[in-house]
Amino acid sequence: EVQLVESGGGLVQAGGSLRLSCAASGLSFGDYVMGWFRQAPGKEREGVSCSASADGSKYYSNSVKGRFTISSDNAKNMVYLQMNNLKPEDTGVYYCAAERDSGVYYACVHGMDHWGKGTLVTVSS
């Protein structure tokens, strides 16, 4: 059974940084696309950043490109999202997700099969 557990959310001022972590179990990183999604209050969930360790491909949404960085530690089955220069519009619940045998762009845009419970990020102005 695939399990994803996020951590690292919190309250930060605009311009600050946070690093989210996702501990994954029950899967082999080489077979999966891993990603981060977020859902802001009153809005639909959106793909923020996704990556595939099998070929190193990565996707970033336009709203976070240049500010967020996705990375992974395959030995530890961990996925990270480094978020810099945070803005109030980055506020939301951030979810770690995994999808087997998919393309990075497709999975990040259309969603994935496996989800964590989320961690709340609040950016104050």
Side-chain angles (χ1 to χ4, degrees):
E1 178 186 4
V2 175
Q3 291 189 329
L4 305 169
V5 180
E6 305 94 337
S7 61
L11 174 64
V12 64
Q13 288 188 332
S17 298
L18 280 176
R19 189 175 85 150
L20 304 183
S21 300
C22 172
S25 61
L27 57 79
S28 174
F29 267 29
D31 297 330
Y32 282 78
V33 171
M34 303 297 297
W36 290 94
F37 292 71
R38 70 184 178 192
Q39 187 163 20
K43 295 188 176 180
E44 293 186 357
R45 188 162 53 189
E46 64 167 336
V48 173
S49 181
C50 300
S51 69
S53 61
D55 62 5
S57 57
K58 297 181 180 181
Y59 165 88
Y60 295 95
S61 67
N62 287 336
S63 60
V64 307
K65 202 171 294 182
R67 300 187 297 121
F68 291 11
T69 303
I70 190 170
S71 63
S72 63
D73 184 334
N74 291 5
K76 296 181 179 180
N77 268 23
M78 296 290 296
V79 182
Y80 306 99
L81 186 68
Q82 178 67 42
M83 307 186 294
N84 297 329
N85 190 21
L86 282 160
K87 304 176 181 181
E89 51 264 41
D90 295 317
T91 293
V93 178
Y94 283 69
Y95 299 90
C96 179
E99 174 83 359
R100 184 183 175 100
D101 296 332
S102 179
V104 169
Y105 175 79
Y106 183 89
C108 224
V109 170
H110 295 282
M112 301 191 184
D113 283 342
H114 305 283
W115 297 89
K117 293 184 178 181
T119 184
L120 177 63
V121 172
T122 304
V123 184
S124 63
S125 58

